[in-house]
Amino acid sequence: MMMESDGEDGDVGQDVAGLPRYSVTIGTASQDGGSTIYVIKSTALESGISQSVDREYEDFEWLHQSLHDQEGIAGLAGVVFPPLPPEAGTPITSAEAKMKKQLGELFTADEKKRECKALENYVLAVLSHPILGHNPALRSFLIQRDLTPRTKTRKGIFSKFSLAMEEMRKENHKDNDPIFQQERQVNTTLINESKAALEKLLELAVAEQRLALACGHLSTTLLSTISENDSYNEKLFCRTLVKLSDTMHIAKGGMEDLVTSDLWTLGLHLEHYVHHQEAEKEMLFRRTCRLIDVENASRALDKAKPAKKPAAEEVKKEAEKALEEITATARSEIDAYRSHRGAAGLDALSSFAKAQGKVAKDVLGTFQEELDRFRKL
């Protein structure tokens, strides 16, 4: 890993005004054997000093785990942790996996840029978080040459199955707080609907790409009918075919531009939205687990013998305290989450509409030029 210069000392995170003290960009990603290397450039906003480090996806996983493993922070489990984008090549829907095969080179060429942008958004979200932005691991991640040795915990199939069964059992547990019960129901609905919307958008991208390919084939076919031995009248007709071929080629480029704009605006937002909804679901599940702990402690206290009641009362108090802490944090996190995601959704729709309009305007202008040439013929 390479560093351009030494950064300032102190915690990465936010200043007193609540603004991130570092700006971060992930501009490039290169392949090094079987690993993808991401170049992270961070700039201290106060001093203007910049540094660059090379990171692999495992480094992002290390940072993500470090954020979860913080100790001594009350209510940390109530935080909606910024979701770490999945590793390259991991589709989140069956439609995305199908799209990768059908779009081929067009999708592959853009995928690295999308990965960099998604990871950059993740780091920026951590930096701007009022709790997570002060984690010392974040500073290490941004400027240290070598990170703490990373260890991956691998779970066997049986442990994964038992964990999934436990989650299914606890997820259906009714919450005694109607606000959180409603939030869980809304969250489940939004996850399903946002995934469905993403699949529909990807299907639209595939359809647009097929139209682009059809226009390209038609353009090539029109040119293939022209021969040097054509008569004078046939040559005039051939000139028309050439112009028509050019028009089809323009249409092909326009459809490909639409695919790109769809994936980079609304597609990227829906992808992020799914991950954020799943991050909120994880937080709500952690709170449900604390709620179940309180209920179990209450039942244990009721059944406890006189000699064991003091210990049972202590367990119940600790469980109630943990529930109160996670609930207080969760309430503020949900409010901030709704505000942020709502604004991000409006921005994505605005960018999507502007991109669609720009592509349509550019193609229309080119078509108008081609029509004028036809008239001159």
Side-chain angles (χ1 to χ4, degrees), residues 161-179:
F161 179 74
S162 61
L163 180 61
M165 292 296 293
E166 181 184 7
E167 289 180 354
M168 290 178 62
R169 177 172 58 84
K170 291 183 177 181
E171 278 181 356
N172 296 325
H173 187 85
K174 188 174 181 180
D175 202 305
N176 58 4
D177 189 324
I179 295 178

Side-chain angles (χ1 to χ4, degrees), residues 1-137:
M1 301 175 187
M2 178 188 69
M3 299 184 62
E4 293 178 354
S5 60
D6 293 331
E8 62 178 354
D9 294 331
D11 292 337
V12 168
Q14 302 173 336
D15 57 19
V16 292
L19 298 174
R21 292 173 52 205
Y22 282 78
S23 65
V24 174
T25 56
I26 304 178
T28 59
S30 58
Q31 207 69 25
D32 183 12
S35 302
T36 302
I37 305 299
Y38 302 94
V39 180
I40 303 178
K41 181 179 180 181
S42 58
T43 303
L45 299 182
E46 295 177 0
S47 64
I49 296 176
S50 299
Q51 54 265 329
S52 294
V53 293
D54 296 343
R55 293 287 184 249
E56 300 178 25
Y57 186 79
E58 289 183 356
D59 298 317
F60 288 91
E61 291 180 317
W62 172 84
L63 172 62
H64 195 63
Q65 190 60 45
S66 298
L67 298 175
H68 284 77
D69 292 343
Q70 296 181 84
E71 297 180 358
I73 299 179
L76 179 66
V79 170
V80 180
F81 289 87
L84 177 64
E87 192 168 5
T90 307
I92 62 174
T93 66
S94 58
E96 184 177 349
K98 182 179 179 182
M99 184 193 68
K100 286 185 178 182
K101 293 181 179 179
Q102 294 182 327
L103 293 187
E105 294 181 359
L106 181 63
F107 186 87
T108 304
D110 247 7
E111 192 169 16
K112 289 296 182 188
K113 293 181 181 179
R114 286 161 55 83
E115 290 169 13
C116 290
K117 188 63 178 177
L119 291 171
E120 178 184 307
N121 288 339
Y122 167 75
V123 177
L124 291 174
V126 174
L127 273 169
S128 61
H129 195 278
I131 297 176
L132 305 179
H134 295 283
N135 191 323

Side-chain angles (χ1 to χ4, degrees), residues 241-306:
L241 293 182
V242 171
K243 291 299 179 184
L244 186 57
S245 173
D246 292 341
T247 304
M248 290 297 99
H249 186 72
I250 293 169
K252 175 179 179 293
M255 297 305 298
E256 289 178 343
D257 289 343
L258 278 178
V259 176
T260 302
S261 66
D262 289 350
L263 296 179
W264 266 99
T265 54
L266 193 56
L268 192 60
H269 167 72
L270 287 173
E271 202 172 288
H272 290 172
Y273 191 73
V274 170
H275 295 317
H276 278 85
Q277 286 294 335
E278 290 175 341
E280 186 196 21
K281 180 180 179 181
E282 292 175 0
M283 182 277 290
L284 293 171
F285 177 72
R286 290 193 295 269
R287 185 189 172 278
T288 301
C289 292
R290 299 290 80 76
L291 175 64
I292 294 174
D293 290 343
V294 171
E295 294 174 354
N296 290 339
S298 297
R299 284 192 292 267
L301 178 60
D302 293 339
K303 296 178 181 180
K305 296 180 179 180

Side-chain angles (χ1 to χ4, degrees), residues 361-377:
K361 183 178 179 179
D362 292 344
V363 173
L364 178 62
T366 310
F367 277 161
Q368 187 63 50
E369 293 175 1
E370 290 299 316
L371 180 60
D372 292 340
R373 293 191 183 97
F374 268 116
R375 287 170 175 165
K376 291 179 180 179
L377 286 176

